[in-house]
Amino acid sequence: MFNQIERPTERPPGVGRLISDFGALYASNGFIGWLFAVTGPVAIILAVGSNGGLSEAEIASWIFGVFFVNGLITLLFSRLYRQPLVFFWTIPGTVIVGQSLNHLTFPEVVGAFYATGLLMAVLGASGWVKRVMQLVPMPIVMGMVAGVFLRFGLELVRAVFADTVIVGPMIAIWLILSAVPRLGRHIPPIIGALLVGASTTLLFGRFDATATLQFELIRPVIQAPVWSLAAMVELVVPLAITVLVVQNGQGFAVLRAAGHTPPVNAVTMACGIGSVIAAIVGGVSTCLTGPTNAIVVSSGEQKRQYSAAMFVGCLALGFGLMAPTFARLLLVAPKSLVMALAGLAMLRVLQTAFVTAFKERFSLGALLAFLVTVADVPLLNVGAAFWGLVAGFAISWLLERSDFAVQDGGTASGP
């Protein structure tokens, strides 16, 4: 089975080569990529965990899992394959989990994390992953993703009206940095929004004054899984699809466009193993990240970009170890700041989801997947995201058969 795993084409660089390949440009790209991951995406974990009834310790443990475990994988794979391979966690999967926590317990969700990780490890080791990535049409998948993400866009709008003093300046700086690329290259819009939001919160004394802030190392919360058939049916397929099709597909596309050749099967198996390990402390499934890899490969020599990815991995290890401190900082901030950060981080992703879902083929199936997911009505104790995929695929199979013919003919675009 393991003969499908791609072998490195070069020997891993030694310490001397690592030092010579690293430099200020690669440190800058790595730092910005890491900073993006610790702003909006972490705010999403916080929002999902808080709304799902998780304790502060459980949220910190989740953050530790997805940063520390994936930081180790990033270091290992970037050095082994001598190309930038940054691993973090599935943001769409995190939001899907948020929906599931409305009617499932967290131990049941953790059981689904384990099952998803094992499934991905098998798919990677067997080499079947490429076929699986083509089974469900991308527009239908992105229709479901758009339905899952819509809540964050709506929460952003509500936060503007509910707390204009904090959120208004965040929106303004995000717009300025997005509209002026020259400025945005120095300060990414989401980071600018975080800095302005934090400054405004301090200025108006909106942090929770009763909370005590101190530097604290992680004490992971070991989560015992509960094996629930409802959780398996509801979460395993959507989580695997968001990792393999949405997140990894984006990451592979970014790296190939920059001239790299990411090892698809090896990355998939690593995502499976990383997911199982992260699940021990309550972390959501591992994926090859698109945005951070895009930042890492945005400039510099192609053969040296792996050093920027390894720097991201080192920073991720440190952030994971200090997860309780950073989690508490966000928890004592106004809820509107967290929701605004999460919403701004999701805007471009939500836009991409809508464009992909309704641009050309499978648009009716994508629409039904979107509507069923937005309705968020569980059926047979299985959440709406799963039924959105089922309904979208079924309606396209019945009424959009010609689109399947185009896809099978090889002319359809894929991840």
Side-chain angles (χ1 to χ4, degrees):
M1 177 181 282
F2 292 98
N3 59 2
Q4 298 296 322
I5 300 299
E6 300 91 344
R7 302 292 191 270
T9 56
E10 300 179 70
R11 293 184 62 184
V15 175
R17 182 59 185 268
L18 275 172
I19 294 173
S20 64
D21 282 344
F22 193 55
L25 174 63
Y26 306 99
S28 174
N29 287 346
F31 178 77
I32 293 172
W34 167 82
L35 202 54
F36 172 84
V38 303
T39 49
V42 169
I44 293 167
I45 291 179
L46 186 76
V48 166
S50 299
N51 293 336
L54 272 62
S55 68
E56 181 180 323
E58 287 175 321
I59 293 173
S61 187
W62 181 336
I63 294 172
F64 163 74
V66 297
F67 274 95
F68 193 84
V69 172
N70 296 323
L72 288 175
I73 298 174
T74 296
L75 285 169
L76 173 64
F77 267 63
S78 296
R79 180 173 181 266
L80 190 62
Y81 287 92
R82 225 167 181 173
Q83 56 181 302
L85 295 168
V86 180
F87 293 78
F88 276 129
W89 71 94
T90 167
I91 295 175
T94 301
V95 182
I96 290 171
V97 166
Q99 287 185 324
S100 299
L101 285 173
N102 292 329
H103 54 275
L104 295 174
T105 66
F106 193 50
E108 288 177 312
V109 169
V110 169
F113 290 166
Y114 277 100
T116 305
L118 291 172
L119 173 62
M120 291 191 295
V122 170
L123 291 174
S126 64
W128 298 337
V129 62
K130 295 176 183 177
R131 179 56 185 161
V132 170
M133 290 172 70
Q134 297 170 352
L135 286 179
V136 182
M138 179 64 86
I140 296 174
V141 173
M142 296 308 279
M144 179 270 288
V145 170
V148 168
F149 281 178
L150 183 64
R151 177 170 65 88
F152 285 89
L154 296 177
E155 289 289 348
L156 173 62
V157 175
R158 295 186 185 112
V160 172
F161 290 99
D163 201 349
T164 308
V165 171
I166 300 296
V167 180
M170 295 174 66
I171 299 289
I173 194 65
W174 186 87
L175 288 171
I176 292 170
L177 293 173
S178 298
V180 185
R182 181 171 53 85
L183 294 176
R185 281 193 293 270
H186 295 288
I187 304 178
I190 189 67
I191 295 171
L194 170 64
L195 295 175
V196 169
S199 301
T200 309
T201 301
L202 286 171
L203 179 65
F204 288 95
R206 294 285 303 281
F207 277 110
D208 184 358
T210 64
T212 57
L213 293 177
Q214 59 183 14
F215 288 102
E216 181 183 348
L217 287 175
I218 187 68
R219 286 176 289 182
V221 178
I222 306 301
Q223 295 287 349
V226 170
W227 309 110
S228 161
L229 180 61
M232 298 297 171
V233 173
E234 175 176 339
L235 285 174
V236 171
V237 170
L239 279 175
I241 287 176
T242 61
V243 171
L244 301 179
V245 180
V246 180
Q247 301 270 203
N248 286 11
Q250 184 186 51
F252 292 143
V254 163
L255 293 172
R256 285 170 181 149
H260 297 284
T261 53
V264 174
N265 294 332
V267 164
T268 303
M269 190 172 73
C271 289
I273 295 172
S275 298
V276 170
I277 298 173
I280 296 173
V281 293
V284 74
S285 304
T286 294
C287 72
L288 184 74
T289 174
T292 302
N293 276 309
I295 294 169
V296 164
V297 302
S298 61
S299 59
E301 298 177 48
Q302 178 186 323
K303 64 182 181 180
R304 297 173 63 186
Q305 288 170 342
Y306 77 94
S307 65
M310 293 187 68
F311 188 54
V312 174
C314 292
L315 293 173
L317 295 181
F319 189 86
L321 290 172
M322 297 297 296
T325 302
F326 297 113
R328 189 168 298 120
L329 274 173
L330 286 171
L331 285 169
V332 301
K335 183 179 179 181
S336 56
L337 185 151
V338 175
M339 296 312 301
L341 270 180
L344 289 172
M346 288 293 97
L347 271 185
R348 294 292 189 187
V349 185
L350 185 59
Q351 177 193 25
T352 300
F354 274 115
V355 170
T356 305
F358 303 117
K359 184 178 181 181
E360 295 177 331
R361 298 170 296 108
F362 302 105
S363 57
L364 183 59
L367 176 61
L368 196 61
F370 172 76
L371 293 174
V372 171
T373 304
V374 169
D376 195 20
V377 179
L379 178 62
L380 301 176
N381 204 31
V382 175
F386 173 79
W387 294 117
L389 287 173
V390 171
F393 187 87
I395 200 71
S396 287
W397 186 255
L398 288 171
L399 302 179
E400 297 178 310
R401 293 295 292 271
S402 59
D403 290 344
F404 283 98
V406 172
Q407 177 171 275
D408 293 339
T411 57
S413 60

